[in-house]
Amino acid sequence: MSSIEVRNASLEDLPAILDTYNEVTANSTASYSLEPSTLEERRAWFDARTREGYPVIVAVGEDGVDGFASFGQFRGAWAGYRYSVEHTVHVRRDQRGRGIGTRLVQELILLAAAMGKHVMIGGIDAANDGSIRMHERLGFKTTATMPEVGRKFGRWLDLVFMQRFLDEPGSHRGD
């Protein structure tokens, strides 16, 4: 694999992020979105993540942005979940299977741990064997399978939740 740089995303990366996201939406169940996103929607997503203090990172290779990843608070604004984050990672179609997703998730794990988060969660389509194996290699464990909670391409989709502790299970935060 050629040299890959993982860095914070910038506004200039949004068109490439959008292209990757829309390809995933159109051709896979890695996202349960049904319609392509717009640059304005991706900008709003980027602004919301960064405003809330959450990272948006990209993997950059010889041909530009090869993938992107981020995380945000699990279950939105409910304070009881403040130590749990849910991540997303997507790799450009022609760069999949080269370890880029792994590099991005490894970086997210470090960033979340540095923010004092306790658990990282991923929601993965049950048929996405590659993503499930990658997460298992990174220490994620399957904690739930939710049958037929999504629908795309004329079929029902099962969702697998996987999680990884970022510190010791049961650790005390003092709050």
Side-chain angles (χ1 to χ4, degrees):
M1 176 169 62
S2 61
S3 176
I4 298 293
E5 172 193 10
V6 176
R7 62 167 172 76
N8 289 326
S10 68
L11 291 176
E12 290 76 29
D13 297 319
L14 285 179
I17 289 170
L18 176 67
D19 288 346
T20 296
Y21 184 78
N22 282 342
E23 186 280 320
V24 167
T25 295
N27 298 305
S28 79
T29 56
S31 164
Y32 285 8
S33 295
L34 301 177
E35 299 295 327
S37 187
T38 65
L39 191 56
E40 294 77 25
E41 290 167 337
R42 283 289 97 184
R43 172 69 188 258
W45 168 82
F46 180 87
D47 289 347
R49 288 287 166 106
T50 56
R51 181 177 55 252
E52 294 165 4
Y54 293 117
V56 178
I57 60 174
V58 290
V60 180
E62 295 172 4
D63 297 325
V65 174
D66 291 336
F68 71 95
S70 183
F71 62 77
Q73 184 173 324
F74 180 68
R75 303 289 317 259
W78 292 332
Y81 293 108
R82 69 191 170 280
Y83 295 114
S84 299
V85 293
E86 184 173 1
H87 74 287
T88 186
V89 58
H90 296 295
V91 176
R92 201 172 76 205
R93 177 181 218 144
D94 65 334
Q95 297 299 311
R96 292 180 192 140
R98 302 182 65 223
I100 294 167
T102 298
R103 291 271 311 275
L104 287 166
V105 175
Q106 286 172 326
E107 183 66 20
L108 289 182
I109 290 167
L110 294 174
L111 292 168
M115 291 174 69
K117 301 301 179 182
H118 180 60
V119 171
M120 181 173 283
I121 298 161
I124 305 164
D125 183 72
N128 192 339
D129 294 330
S131 184
I132 291 170
R133 281 193 310 274
M134 176 194 74
H135 282 84
E136 287 172 343
R137 284 192 305 271
L138 293 173
F140 286 77
K141 305 287 184 209
T142 298
T143 55
T145 300
M146 301 174 71
E148 298 186 8
V149 296
R151 189 161 176 85
K152 189 172 180 180
F153 304 133
R155 67 183 191 273
W156 290 109
L157 306 174
D158 299 345
L159 182 65
V160 172
F161 277 107
M162 299 184 79
Q163 79 174 47
R164 177 195 159 128
F165 287 100
L166 302 169
D167 57 8
E168 290 299 313
S171 63
H172 178 67
R173 296 245 173 237
D175 53 2

